[in-house]
Amino acid sequence: MTILTKLTLGAAALGMSLAATAASAWEPIKPIDFVIMAGKGGGADKMARLMQAIIEKEKLSPRPLVPTNKSGGSGAEALTAAKGASDPDHTIMVTLNSFFTTPMRQQNLGIDVSTFTPVAMMGVDPFVLWVHKDSGITTFEEWVETVKASDDYIMGGTGKGQEDSIVIAFMKGSFGVDIKYIPYDGGGAVAKDLAGKQIMASVNNPAETKGFYASGDVVPLLSFSDERMDAFPDVPTAKEKGFDFSYYNQRAVVGAPGQSAEAAAYYQDLFKTIYDTEEWQGYMASESLSPLWMNPDEQKEYWATQVARHKELLASMGE
């Protein structure tokens, strides 16, 4: 069962929790540390910068959000910073699926994701297999044949155990291909090097590769979504090719462990307001994000589901 079938896409209708709908007396009294669990130029970074811009434009917060990229150790740097925040009420973090996988792979961090504070699920982001236009490859079947015929096929991603590496591991096991994997500091750098022909293929989110796709530098071959994406109606899904697999990257905001209920309610209300803006709804449509709003209790349930699923996925990779 997939993410989008396990969880109802109509969760937005449920709205916020009672704590978030009530007018909160708490407001930030100093700049808010807005940690980004990824490098610059990737999907998480773009999302955070947009949300910061919406807040400033609409004057939604009396104090600014200050984005800080902490991508080291596949997000371990960000998790550690949030866990050890000196002021949890003024610390929030943009997360992706490394929120689940990094604590599993680096147990010495002592990170328990259940101690973080649910703020907002802003959507989920599917993955797409991309090649450079000059490769001459136009179909998934041609790609498989090319990789099988190569002794040194090189793909790039954001690191072992990261979201794209999980998809690539699935491809290696299911498609019978041998791939050399090069880690990068963020999805934006991966997309750039594919466009520059430094690597042969990538598994990137549409938002990370959008500019290079628009310029015609890269070609999408296969999506790992449940259904064909509106932005790429001619691109088949892995499921259409007979593989019962889909994979989405969460685009979410969490509060630091130990955040007060009053501060949590403030941020939950703030990001629900952002979620409902025309700017964010338009961003989801243009960047091919699937809407998946959840209240705090639903987010906790989602975390538990994803922890269990990623344990299975990492185990299948030999992690």
Side-chain angles (χ1 to χ4, degrees):
M1 189 175 292
T2 65
I3 293 171
L4 296 184
T5 55
K6 285 181 179 177
L7 297 164
T8 304
L9 284 173
L14 296 178
M16 300 167 289
S17 67
L18 294 176
T21 54
S24 174
W26 188 92
E27 286 190 338
I29 58 174
K30 64 181 184 181
I32 300 158
D33 189 8
F34 196 23
V35 179
I36 305 171
M37 200 178 174
K40 293 184 178 179
D45 183 62
K46 291 181 178 180
M47 161 183 161
R49 307 287 170 174
L50 173 62
M51 292 188 295
Q52 178 199 28
I54 293 172
I55 289 170
E56 291 182 356
K57 176 187 174 184
E58 304 296 335
K59 297 180 172 56
L60 299 178
S61 174
R63 294 292 185 270
L65 273 65
V66 182
T68 306
N69 295 87
K70 293 184 181 295
S71 60
S74 299
E77 180 186 9
L79 287 163
T80 301
K83 177 186 175 183
S86 59
D87 187 350
D89 282 1
H90 289 83
T91 305
I92 56 177
M93 181 171 69
V94 171
T95 69
L96 43 163
N97 287 359
S98 51
F99 180 68
F100 310 115
T101 58
T102 295
M104 295 179 197
R105 297 184 63 249
Q106 302 181 47
Q107 295 184 17
N108 61 304
L109 296 174
I111 300 292
D112 179 357
V113 298
S114 69
T115 63
F116 284 76
T117 306
V119 171
M121 172 64 85
M122 303 298 288
V124 289
D125 209 352
F127 284 86
V128 175
L129 171 65
W130 306 85
V131 294
H132 196 278
K133 66 174 182 178
D134 292 345
S135 69
I137 299 172
T138 59
T139 68
F140 165 68
E141 288 76 13
E142 290 175 354
W143 180 81
V144 172
E145 291 177 5
T146 299
V147 181
K148 286 184 175 181
S150 174
D151 294 327
D152 191 29
Y153 197 86
I154 301 172
M155 294 185 67
T158 53
K160 188 176 181 181
Q162 293 284 80
E163 298 82 6
D164 58 78
S165 75
I166 289 174
V167 179
I168 291 173
F170 163 79
M171 293 195 300
K172 290 172 69 174
S174 299
F175 304 161
V177 293
D178 187 20
I179 296 166
K180 180 179 179 181
Y181 183 82
I182 298 177
Y184 284 80
D185 185 21
V190 176
K192 180 179 179 181
D193 263 16
L194 177 59
K197 295 192 281 190
Q198 301 302 306
I199 54 178
M200 299 173 178
S202 72
V203 176
N204 269 91
N205 298 126
E208 296 169 329
T209 314
K210 181 180 178 181
F212 300 114
Y213 172 67
S215 63
D217 292 310
V218 298
V219 178
L221 299 179
L222 189 73
S223 75
F224 296 91
S225 51
D226 291 324
E227 299 176 349
R228 290 199 182 197
M229 300 165 63
D230 290 342
F232 313 109
D234 296 327
V235 176
T237 67
K239 289 188 174 185
E240 289 178 57
K241 299 300 180 179
F243 302 97
D244 187 17
F245 180 83
S246 63
Y247 192 73
Y248 293 81
N249 201 0
Q250 73 161 354
R251 299 301 184 187
V253 180
V254 303
Q259 188 172 94
S260 70
E262 294 78 13
Y266 173 85
Y267 293 121
Q268 290 158 7
D269 185 52
L270 173 65
F271 282 91
K272 182 60 168 67
T273 299
I274 295 170
Y275 185 89
D276 288 336
T277 62
E278 290 185 8
E279 290 92 338
W280 183 257
Q281 293 296 316
Y283 177 80
M284 285 198 295
S286 67
E287 308 304 311
S288 300
L289 269 70
S290 297
L292 196 61
W293 178 262
M294 299 178 195
N295 65 35
D297 288 341
E298 290 167 334
Q299 289 174 62
K300 283 282 193 177
E301 181 182 349
Y302 178 86
W303 293 357
T305 299
Q306 292 307 305
V307 166
R309 185 184 189 214
H310 282 90
K311 282 182 180 178
E312 294 177 356
L313 289 170
L314 291 180
S316 71
M317 295 171 59
E319 288 279 324

